[in-house]
Amino acid sequence: MKRILVIVLFFISVFSFAQVPAGYKPVKDTTAFKQKMEAQSKLINTLESDFTQEKYLSVMSEKIISKGHFHFKKINMLRWEYNDPYKYLIAINKNKMYIKDNGKLSKYDINSNKMFKSINEMMVNTVQGNLLNNKDYKAKFYENDKFYLLELTPILKGAKDFLKVIQLYINKVDYAVDKVKMIEPSDDYTSIDFSNRKTNQAIADEKFIIK
Amino acid sequence: MKNLLLSSSLVVLMLTGCKFGHYGELIKTTAGTDYPKSLFGDNFNSFLFKTNISVYNKNFSGLLVTKQLSANDYRVIFTTELGMKMFDFEFKDTAFTLHYCVPQFNKPKLLKVIQKDIETLLMSNISNKRQTHYEDKDGLYRVQKLEFPKTENYYFTEKSSAQLTKIECAKKRIKNTTFTLSNYQNNFPDSILIQHHDIKLKIELNLLKK
């Protein structure tokens, strides 16, 4: 019996070890990390950055790469714009969502649609690094010399069908999210790298009203 | 009232004329035994399209990518611009595999229609179909009619450019879907429009990368 227990414990420890991403170790004091993230997030009123999105599909030989720019303003204003290789704009202004595709503008009430509501929460929280407070995900915290790696596993059945895990790479210098990776159950993924980040520069409210 | 009736009859006549009488004007020819050549069977390349699917009052936009995996094996994946996968189809020989689909598309009738549309566009597995050659009455287009179990497809190739510009799917000689292929660059159309006439479904594909 004792031997079986030892074997079971061995496999549990190996399994747990295997879960830690390569090059990372678990964060010891997660409370301190969360407090620091929250404190940093409170300091941000506006944010803008370039982004590069990569879509990896296992059957394709190349990744699909799209580039763009985003603006964010507290409390709930976001302008997420693709410029290359196509033009596509999604903007959130409190309860309104705008989509401009090929010059055609559509407006939606976020509260009227569950999907838009979750897109809004996901995008705003990702940009702000606030996903760690979301009760719909189970969080694990890792770190290496340069980054904290926050792994979020969805708990809800609907989300689990299309999302295995979200990885947020948070740099240790200013606690900013440098990269987001959304991995699907099939291991295909979407990763978004942020660059040329500017914080707390004036952004007019008009930027979030799309005409 | 009489005028209204007359103009309505005219409109009905014109519409049925467009759909039904269309094929009656084709002139049978004996030229050629070759089958329409697939646009996608090109050295196992992948094709990326900015895509819009309008179905009844819903609109889905995103990126559609096609990849030829082997001679008769194609994978077709549709994702949103933000990267969320909407559907993942595989067409291998005559078999169809649904690898993944979000609930919005997971409706048997809708899936079947989209599957048929993509199959028609890929033009694989057509060389065993019975074929008849025609040309239009002005002699500008070569028209190849291929017979499928429930439908017949007409492939219109512009004689002057040798470009496939239109595919029409018909049932008992009544057109139900038109594929318009335009803005050719390097032997591939930049724009593909799939318009259904019997249901409210329209698929627009604009080539981003080949």
Side-chain angles (χ1 to χ4, degrees):
Chain A
M1 186 64 197
K2 211 174 171 182
R3 187 176 288 174
I4 293 172
L5 192 69
V6 169
I7 293 169
V8 169
L9 283 174
F10 171 76
F11 275 106
I12 288 174
S13 62
V14 167
F15 187 66
S16 318
F17 180 72
Q19 294 285 298
V20 177
Y24 285 83
K25 59 179 186 189
V27 172
K28 279 181 189 154
D29 189 354
T30 55
T31 313
F33 167 73
K34 280 189 199 173
Q35 282 170 352
K36 185 75 183 162
M37 273 297 284
E38 272 163 34
Q40 286 299 116
S41 164
K42 276 180 190 157
L43 295 175
I44 294 170
N45 288 312
T46 71
L47 192 61
E48 68 170 299
S49 163
D50 293 331
F51 66 84
T52 301
Q53 179 179 301
E54 285 185 1
K55 179 77 195 172
Y56 168 78
L57 296 161
S58 59
V59 289
M60 303 297 159
S61 42
E62 289 173 48
K63 290 173 186 164
I64 303 169
I65 296 172
S66 339
K67 290 179 180 178
H69 191 82
F70 86 85
H71 293 82
F72 168 76
K73 188 171 183 177
K74 253 180 192 166
I75 296 173
N76 197 355
M77 291 190 272
L78 179 74
R79 182 188 170 111
W80 186 271
E81 197 167 7
Y82 294 90
N83 299 318
D84 182 43
Y86 50 85
K87 298 245 182 254
Y88 184 83
L89 165 66
I90 182 163
I92 293 160
N93 193 333
K94 298 178 176 90
N95 291 326
K96 295 264 183 295
M97 181 185 267
Y98 303 87
I99 293 176
K100 199 170 190 178
D101 183 13
N102 225 350
K104 196 181 148 201
L105 179 67
S106 312
K107 284 185 204 174
Y108 305 92
D109 181 350
I110 287 175
N111 295 319
S112 70
N113 187 312
K114 223 171 117 185
M115 191 174 88
F116 290 144
K117 212 172 169 177
S118 59
I119 291 175
N120 172 38
E121 281 169 12
M122 170 75 96
M123 291 184 78
V124 171
N125 286 330
T126 301
V127 166
Q128 272 201 297
N130 267 351
L131 273 171
L132 70 169
N133 290 326
N134 196 319
K135 289 185 176 62
D136 296 340
Y137 299 93
K138 189 180 155 206
K140 284 181 186 169
F141 304 87
Y142 305 102
E143 63 180 322
N144 67 10
D145 294 349
K146 287 181 181 165
F147 294 101
Y148 287 107
L149 169 56
L150 178 55
E151 277 201 349
L152 300 155
T153 311
I155 292 167
L156 301 175
K157 167 92 180 64
K160 271 183 179 175
D161 289 343
F162 62 86
L163 195 61
K164 186 158 96 175
V165 69
I166 302 175
Q167 295 178 331
L168 295 180
Y169 290 81
I170 298 156
N171 79 52
K172 284 189 163 178
V173 179
D174 59 1
Y175 285 74
V177 179
D178 275 12
K179 183 189 178 102
V180 181
K181 194 170 174 182
M182 288 164 276
I183 305 168
E184 297 166 22
S186 62
D187 284 333
D188 286 349
Y189 65 79
T190 307
S191 75
I192 302 169
D193 282 82
F194 299 101
S195 58
N196 300 327
R197 190 184 167 94
K198 293 173 194 160
T199 47
N200 295 336
Q201 295 203 348
I203 303 175
D205 283 1
E206 284 70 37
K207 199 87 192 162
F208 307 94
I209 300 167
I210 313 301
K211 287 173 188 166
Chain B
M1 185 65 197
K2 210 175 170 185
N3 276 344
L4 186 70
L5 200 70
L6 189 71
S7 47
S8 312
S9 317
L10 266 173
V11 169
V12 171
L13 207 70
M14 278 163 70
L15 286 175
T16 41
C18 287
K19 284 186 172 180
F20 194 74
H22 187 59
Y23 303 115
E25 291 181 345
L26 297 176
I27 301 155
K28 216 169 179 177
T29 62
T30 48
T33 51
D34 58 315
Y35 279 84
K37 194 172 167 283
S38 170
L39 295 162
F40 293 86
D42 181 14
N43 301 323
F44 307 102
N45 274 340
S46 53
F47 295 81
L48 179 67
F49 298 92
K50 178 84 173 71
T51 300
N52 216 296
I53 302 177
S54 321
V55 49
Y56 287 91
N57 56 353
K58 288 203 170 116
N59 198 51
F60 301 93
S61 79
L63 305 173
L64 187 116
V65 60
T66 69
K67 169 84 178 167
Q68 187 184 21
L69 303 173
S70 64
N72 254 335
D73 188 0
Y74 291 86
R75 197 79 175 252
V76 179
I77 300 172
F78 181 48
T79 77
T80 64
E81 286 84 355
L82 297 167
M84 185 182 162
K85 206 187 285 175
M86 303 294 273
F87 61 69
D88 180 353
F89 295 166
E90 186 171 0
F91 301 86
K92 190 173 185 180
D93 300 317
T94 52
F96 168 74
T97 309
L98 176 65
H99 287 285
Y100 179 79
C101 184
V102 290
Q104 289 95 320
F105 280 97
N106 206 355
K107 292 166 180 134
K109 277 186 185 167
L110 177 63
L111 270 183
K112 189 81 191 159
V113 173
I114 297 176
Q115 175 201 334
K116 291 295 282 179
D117 282 352
I118 297 174
E119 245 169 31
T120 302
L121 195 61
L122 293 174
M123 293 163 66
S124 60
N125 294 311
I126 58 171
S127 55
N128 57 351
K129 301 289 181 279
R130 199 176 138 188
Q131 183 176 215
T132 319
H133 292 264
Y134 299 91
E135 64 176 18
D136 70 314
K137 67 178 167 54
D138 299 321
L140 299 174
Y141 292 90
R142 178 185 178 198
V143 185
Q144 288 155 282
K145 180 181 126 184
L146 266 65
E147 291 172 36
F148 292 81
K150 287 181 184 168
T151 55
E152 62 266 15
N153 290 357
Y154 294 80
Y155 300 82
F156 292 76
T157 305
E158 195 180 48
K159 284 184 179 174
S160 59
S161 61
Q163 289 167 351
L164 178 71
T165 55
K166 194 164 65 170
I167 307 170
E168 289 181 358
C169 304
K171 212 170 186 175
K172 293 181 183 162
R173 292 163 70 91
I174 296 174
K175 180 171 76 175
N176 57 36
T177 316
T178 305
F179 293 64
T180 308
L181 305 99
S182 54
N183 300 328
Y184 269 81
Q185 307 281 343
N186 301 322
N187 299 322
F188 195 87
D190 263 6
S191 312
I192 299 170
L193 170 68
I194 306 171
Q195 177 72 62
H196 283 257
H197 306 294
D198 50 352
I199 51 168
K200 284 186 179 170
L201 173 64
K202 185 167 87 171
I203 303 175
E204 293 170 85
L205 304 166
N206 288 296
L207 185 71
L208 291 173
K209 205 175 157 196
K210 186 181 156 187

